[in-house]
């Protein structure tokens, strides 16, 4: 099973998620990768795009990914 954080606030700040993707692209010296997101990773890819734009990536592949937040997503 995933060791996902239980605290709700761990999922509400988009910048750390975006920074993680940017750091991986930079550290691995990836040249315009295609980002593939499944499930919650759809949100994370969107966080990255809002923070860094699309210039450093070649494309996106959403695979059964969540890309729109609703009350159901937050457990409300």
């Amino acid at each position: 099973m995933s060791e996902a954080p239980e605290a709700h606030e761990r999922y509400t700040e988009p910048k750390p998620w975006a920074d993680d993707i940017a750091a991986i692209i930079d550290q691995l010296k990836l040249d315009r990768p295609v980002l593939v997101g499944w499930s919650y990773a759809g949100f994370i890819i969107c966080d990255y795009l809002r923070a860094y734009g699309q210039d450093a990536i070649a494309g996106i592949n959403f695979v059964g990914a969540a890309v729109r937040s609703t009350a159901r997503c937050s457990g409300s």
Side-chain angles (χ1 to χ4, degrees), residues 34-64:
V34 173
L35 302 180
V36 178
W38 175 69
S39 190
Y40 192 83
F43 287 125
I44 297 169
I45 290 172
C46 291
D47 292 341
Y48 172 82
L49 290 173
R50 280 189 292 275
Y52 290 94
Q54 63 185 8
D55 293 342
I57 62 170
I60 300 167
N61 187 352
F62 291 120
V63 181

Side-chain angles (χ1 to χ4, degrees), residues 58-73:
I60 300 167
N61 187 352
F62 291 120
V63 181
V67 293
R68 186 174 59 156
S69 183
T70 64
R72 184 174 166 206
C73 292

